[in-house]
Amino acid sequence: MRFWNDLKHENKVFYTFLAIHLIVWTCIGLIRTVLPTDSLEGIYWGSLHDFGTPKHPPLAGWLTYLAWIPFKKDFFVYLLSQTFIILGFIYIYRLAKNFVDENKAMLSVIILEGCWCYSYITGYYGFNPDVVLLFTLPAITFYFYQCMKENKTSDWIKLGLIAGFSFLDKYQTGLLIIAMATWAFLFRRKTFVNKKFYFAVIIAFIIFLPHLLWLVKYDFFPLLYFDSKLAPLDLYGRIIHFILFILMQVVMMLGSLLIYSLLKFKTKTSFKFIKNKDEKFWFLTIMMLVPFVLHIVMCLISGGNVRPQWNYVFWFLIGLYLFYTLPLEVNTKDFDFVTKLSYTIMLIVFLSFGTMLTVEKNYRSRYPVANVFGDLKEKIWKHECGTAPLKYIGGFTEWAYPITIYAQTHPNYIMDTFGYKSPWLNEEDLKASGALILSRHEDEVLEFAKQSCPYVPADYQFSAKPYSFILHNALGMPREYTIYYVIIPPME
């Protein structure tokens, strides 16, 4: 209690903000009856105890599984998600104190409440590799700056550890590493002959090495997931997507930009850009813009449809950038003004998102797993396959993953490995056990069935059948859904 009483007003407001953010966005997801698909996917990936997944490195899956498995309660996955975000906030604050005074460092975090990726997106998608990046990217940036500033061995070790685990989460970490290397080449070329730098590189490489060996063993097939998302675009499509990509970055940050603009208006400070463009200015600029530019180049070169959300996590410095490059004086009343605006945005998003989750009749948030799985297993599977246990399920992830995680028998999910032999599937056991394949459309479920069970003879006639069920929203309002299923019986 004495610690709290000794804090100045602004610090109390800041810590209160962190606590409220944690509580609000942890609890909002509990309106759902099932976890978001990304979180369910992570739990299943983690249950495989492997150094790779069909899409990403394994860290996010391991963490999601560890959060869920002890109590099997969705709450702990949402808590994990927001804990990572709060840790990211803390590192942004620690970094910001090197550029602006403490009050502005705290405000650099508080106005991030206006960015979608810290509220609605994490509330909707739960815990996934991008949420891990919301912690690791600020931590990497902080320790890199400390290394450039003081060259302490302990900071280099921490940098290597965080960078290694970040790569073990998602390959996009490399975009920030390129930004760091760019700044170091321009302003700290001695870094590249510093033994401590290479010590950090070795640490990061050792952490990533098991996954790299796993990739080599399986011919780098997870990279095909990335390639599958880059749908080829013609010249007109590239231009339109380029515009939309930039527009969505602005929209994602719109709340933060609005808060800062209102603060500028309140303090009657004109929008004058910083004159002294020193190393600090270029540090912040390069850290933010290099990943953004690389995403655009990636799109233009590949002709692919690079998703706007891939770059959202790299805007964690936007608050600090505004306070550093568009300077203004902030007193206690201004500090409270910004905080109240952030809470207003939090409340608006919370009420909107909460209302949507309450009234929507969507299988993504209201999937009646017990009823659906009970019918599929007892009335359909047993009718066609007798006493053979239902051990494998495949098809559309948003139908199948909830059953895999929540059903008491936890059937194995047949994951898409893009034509490569699955490291996690015993084909002989699958053939002997059979499988249930689910999807949204008749032609789609037939295609899933062919991909999931390639051992089936070419002349085998798959039969797709409809199954309907009633879904109720939180207010009890019904909606009927129809899904299609294919049963592949046990074969000798």
Side-chain angles (χ1 to χ4, degrees):
M1 193 66 182
R2 183 179 178 182
F3 164 77
W4 182 259
N5 291 333
D6 290 343
L7 292 175
K8 67 178 184 178
H9 171 74
E10 287 84 355
N11 290 102
K12 291 180 180 179
V13 171
F14 179 61
Y15 295 138
T16 301
F17 165 79
L18 295 180
I20 291 176
H21 179 99
L22 176 70
I23 294 169
V24 166
W25 296 112
T26 295
C27 294
I28 186 67
L30 298 179
I31 300 174
R32 296 170 175 263
T33 61
V34 294
L35 282 166
T37 303
D38 283 4
S39 298
L40 295 172
E41 193 172 52
I43 294 171
Y44 189 72
W45 287 349
S47 71
L48 300 173
H49 310 295
D50 205 351
F51 279 97
T53 77
K55 299 180 184 179
H56 306 294
L59 182 62
W62 292 346
L63 293 171
T64 318
Y65 177 74
L66 290 174
W68 189 82
I69 198 63
F71 306 102
K72 297 187 178 179
K73 298 293 184 183
D74 298 352
F75 170 80
F76 293 99
V77 176
Y78 295 118
L79 178 61
L80 176 69
S81 176
Q82 296 310 316
T83 299
F84 267 67
I85 288 176
I86 296 301
L87 289 173
F89 281 164
I90 291 172
Y91 273 106
I92 293 169
Y93 162 68
R94 294 179 68 185
L95 175 68
K97 288 196 295 182
N98 290 287
F99 294 81
V100 293
D101 63 56
E102 186 174 15
N103 285 356
K104 291 177 184 176
M106 290 185 283
L107 290 180
S108 298
V109 172
I110 291 173
I111 71 169
L112 291 178
E113 191 65 39
C115 292
W116 284 5
C117 62
Y118 289 103
S119 54
Y120 170 78
I121 291 179
T122 53
Y124 190 82
Y125 291 103
F127 189 77
N128 60 22
D130 287 337
V131 174
V132 178
L133 291 183
L134 290 175
F135 157 56
T136 59
L137 296 183
I140 289 171
T141 306
F142 169 76
Y143 284 119
F144 174 67
Y145 188 82
Q146 290 300 109
C147 290
M148 297 298 99
K149 181 181 176 183
E150 301 179 3
N151 195 34
K152 289 183 178 179
T153 302
S154 60
D155 288 330
W156 283 108
I157 292 173
K158 293 171 185 176
L159 176 61
L161 289 171
I162 295 292
F165 283 114
S166 190
F167 269 114
L168 201 60
D169 170 67
K170 203 169 184 182
Y171 307 123
Q172 278 179 286
T173 300
L175 301 182
L176 185 67
I177 300 301
I178 293 173
M180 290 161 51
T182 301
W183 186 85
F185 178 79
L186 294 173
F187 298 99
R188 292 286 194 281
R189 294 187 184 179
K190 290 183 178 179
T191 299
F192 300 106
V193 294
N194 187 340
K195 294 180 180 179
K196 296 178 182 179
F197 164 73
Y198 291 101
F199 185 50
V201 171
I202 292 171
I203 292 174
F205 181 75
I206 290 173
I207 293 173
F208 185 73
L209 182 59
H211 176 65
L212 179 61
L213 295 175
W214 185 91
L215 286 173
V216 172
K217 180 178 179 180
Y218 296 107
D219 299 322
F220 294 85
F221 82 79
L223 298 182
L224 294 176
Y225 167 75
F226 174 76
D227 184 64
S228 70
K229 297 300 178 185
L230 297 179
L233 300 172
D234 57 19
L235 179 60
Y236 175 77
R238 295 187 194 192
I239 294 174
I240 294 298
H241 184 68
F242 171 78
I243 295 172
L244 289 176
F245 183 87
I246 295 176
L247 180 62
M248 287 305 297
Q249 306 305 308
V250 176
V251 170
M252 193 279 296
M253 297 183 288
L254 196 58
S256 297
L257 299 174
L258 176 62
I259 292 173
Y260 191 84
S261 298
L262 291 174
L263 176 62
K264 276 280 191 179
F265 179 78
K266 180 182 182 299
T267 57
K268 298 179 181 179
T269 306
S270 59
F271 283 86
K272 292 183 179 179
F273 206 62
I274 187 173
K275 293 182 179 180
N276 183 23
K277 297 179 177 57
D278 56 7
E279 289 184 358
K280 289 186 174 182
F281 167 81
W282 287 112
F283 181 88
L284 296 178
T285 301
I286 289 172
M287 290 303 110
M288 279 206 316
L289 293 186
V290 166
F292 172 66
V293 171
L294 289 174
H295 274 112
I296 292 177
V297 171
M298 195 186 307
C299 176
L300 295 175
I301 291 178
S302 68
N305 187 12
V306 175
R307 295 183 173 185
Q309 58 263 38
W310 291 353
N311 194 69
Y312 289 169
V313 295
F314 290 96
W315 293 114
F316 61 92
L317 291 174
I318 186 61
L320 172 56
Y321 195 78
L322 290 171
F323 281 105
Y324 183 76
T325 61
L326 298 171
L328 77 169
E329 295 301 319
V330 178
N331 57 35
T332 299
K333 289 184 178 179
D334 298 329
F335 191 96
D336 292 342
F337 174 74
V338 172
T339 305
K340 289 175 182 177
L341 286 177
S342 296
Y343 281 136
T344 300
I345 291 179
M346 182 190 295
L347 180 63
I348 292 172
V349 178
F350 176 82
L351 292 176
S352 301
F353 188 35
T355 301
M356 181 191 75
L357 289 178
T358 300
V359 302
E360 73 172 356
K361 293 169 280 188
N362 193 311
Y363 61 84
R364 289 186 178 93
S365 58
R366 311 299 304 176
Y367 193 52
V369 178
N371 293 341
V372 172
F373 184 63
D375 283 352
L376 291 173
K377 182 180 178 183
E378 301 298 329
K379 297 180 181 179
I380 295 173
W381 178 264
K382 283 190 175 181
H383 180 265
E384 296 198 24
C385 300
T387 59
L390 176 52
K391 295 177 61 176
Y392 292 94
I393 189 168
F396 184 51
T397 56
E398 293 178 3
W399 292 126
Y401 267 130
I403 292 175
T404 299
I405 301 304
Y406 290 108
Q408 290 185 348
T409 54
H410 303 298
N412 297 303
Y413 180 68
I414 306 172
M415 293 186 289
D416 183 11
T417 52
F418 314 100
Y420 281 78
K421 185 176 179 62
S422 173
W424 312 283
L425 188 64
N426 184 329
E427 190 168 297
E428 290 301 316
D429 187 55
L430 171 62
K431 185 176 181 180
S433 303
L436 173 65
I437 312 298
L438 307 174
S439 198
R440 298 163 293 183
H441 311 292
E442 184 175 2
D443 56 343
E444 189 177 63
V445 76
L446 290 171
E447 186 61 31
F448 271 126
K450 294 175 184 177
Q451 294 175 358
S452 301
C453 302
Y455 60 83
V456 175
D459 59 350
Y460 183 86
Q461 295 297 314
F462 292 100
S463 177
K465 298 179 182 179
Y467 165 74
S468 299
F469 63 92
I470 302 296
L471 177 150
H472 295 85
N473 66 8
L475 301 176
M477 300 168 62
R479 176 180 177 180
E480 184 178 55
Y481 274 95
T482 298
I483 61 178
Y484 289 85
Y485 68 90
V486 170
I487 288 182
I488 305 174
M491 297 182 179
E492 295 295 332

